[in-house]
Amino acid sequence: MTVRVMIVDDQALVRAGFRMVLDSQPDLQVVGEAIDGADALRVLNRVDADVVVMDLRMPTMDGVEATRRICARSAGGGPRVLVLTTFDTEADAFAALRAGASGFLLKNVPPEELMAAIRVVAQGDSVVAPSITRRLLDRFAGQLGPAPAADPRLAQLTEREREVLLLVAQGLSNAEIAARAHVAEATVKTHVGRILAKLQLRDRVQAVVLAYESGLITPGG
C-alpha cells in the first residue's frame, strides 16, 4: 500500500528536501504541499492524504491549530498528523498532542526515522512512546485546568478495560501490561483496541491525554 503524504512547512527548502526523501521510497508518495496551516486545510479539500507532516511554527495559522482542525474534521477517518518540533518547542509539541496529533519528531531526525514514523502513523499507531507523552503531561499539567471532570465515555469501559487504560496512561507497553495483569499480550492488544474504539480515540497517545484530562490519573500519580 502506498502511503500518501502531505508536507506542511513555511520553508520551501525544507519541503523540497522532504519531498525528495519521501518520493524516493516505493511505498511513500507526496501528494501535496502547504506553506502554513490555513493553506494545509485548503489543500486537503483537493487531495487525499493518509499522513500530514506538520511543522509547528508557521505564519497565518500555526501547526497546533491546523492539527486541531484536521483531526476534528477527520474524526471518522482521514489523515493523521505527525508534527515536527525542535528542542525549544516542547510546549507546542504537548499542545499538538492534545490537539490530536499522533506523535512528534525533532526536525533533525535522520531520513530513515522520518520515513519509519510516517509508516507507523499511517497504520494507526503513534510514534511517541506513552512514557514520553506522560513526561510531557507531568511537565505541563497546569495547562489541563484545575478541576478535571470525569469523561462520560469512561462509563462504557468494563472494569478490566479501565484497568488496562490506567496502565496505558502510566506509560506501560502491552508486554508490561500483560505481565502486570497476568494475561497474554494478545489479550492486552485486544483490550487496547476496544478501549480506543469505545472512547473514539486515534491511538495510545490520545488515551494517555484523556486519562489525565478526565482525572483518571494525576500528574506524578
Side-chain angles (χ1 to χ4, degrees):
M1 182 187 74
T2 299
V3 178
R4 301 164 298 180
V5 183
M6 178 178 173
I7 303 169
V8 187
D9 196 293
D10 60 331
Q11 298 183 39
L13 189 59
V14 171
R15 297 196 307 273
F18 284 170
R19 176 182 280 275
M20 181 177 65
V21 169
L22 299 180
D23 279 345
S24 70
Q25 301 299 300
D27 62 331
L28 301 177
Q29 178 187 8
V30 177
V31 295
E33 296 182 17
I35 61 174
D36 57 42
D39 190 31
L41 296 175
R42 289 191 293 269
V43 174
L44 283 173
N45 287 329
R46 305 193 307 268
V47 303
D48 292 324
D50 301 305
V51 178
V52 177
V53 178
M54 180 80 70
D55 187 21
L56 286 178
R57 297 292 180 89
M58 298 177 292
T60 309
M61 181 187 293
D62 64 22
V64 173
E65 179 60 26
T67 296
R68 182 177 297 110
R69 297 192 186 192
I70 290 172
C71 293
R73 73 182 192 179
S74 63
R80 295 176 180 271
V81 179
L82 174 62
V83 300
L84 299 179
T85 184
T86 58
F87 286 110
D88 61 351
T89 58
E90 195 175 35
D92 288 333
F94 167 73
L97 289 180
R98 290 193 72 197
S102 294
F104 62 89
L105 295 173
L106 297 177
K107 292 188 77 170
N108 61 353
V109 296
E112 296 77 16
E113 288 188 28
L114 174 62
M115 293 184 291
I118 290 172
R119 294 181 180 111
V120 168
V121 169
Q123 293 171 359
D125 295 321
S126 59
V127 295
V128 183
S131 57
I132 296 176
T133 307
R134 187 169 183 209
R135 287 201 294 271
L136 278 173
L137 288 164
D138 277 342
R139 178 169 179 178
F140 299 106
Q143 298 181 22
L144 294 178
D151 193 303
R153 290 175 294 176
L154 294 174
Q156 304 176 60
L157 302 182
T158 65
E159 183 177 350
R160 173 63 83 177
E161 289 167 350
R162 193 179 180 92
E163 176 186 350
V164 170
L165 174 59
L166 183 61
L167 295 175
V168 168
Q170 291 174 344
L172 274 64
S173 66
N174 284 354
E176 292 168 334
I177 294 173
R180 180 81 64 90
H182 305 292
V183 297
E185 187 173 347
T187 300
V188 174
K189 185 175 182 180
T190 298
H191 282 314
V192 171
R194 289 174 178 167
I195 290 168
L196 297 181
K198 287 183 177 181
L199 301 182
Q200 298 178 310
L201 302 175
R202 298 171 73 88
D203 50 46
R204 295 168 74 98
V205 169
Q206 300 306 307
V208 178
V209 173
L210 175 66
Y212 270 75
E213 291 185 323
S214 64
L216 185 62
I217 190 170
T218 57

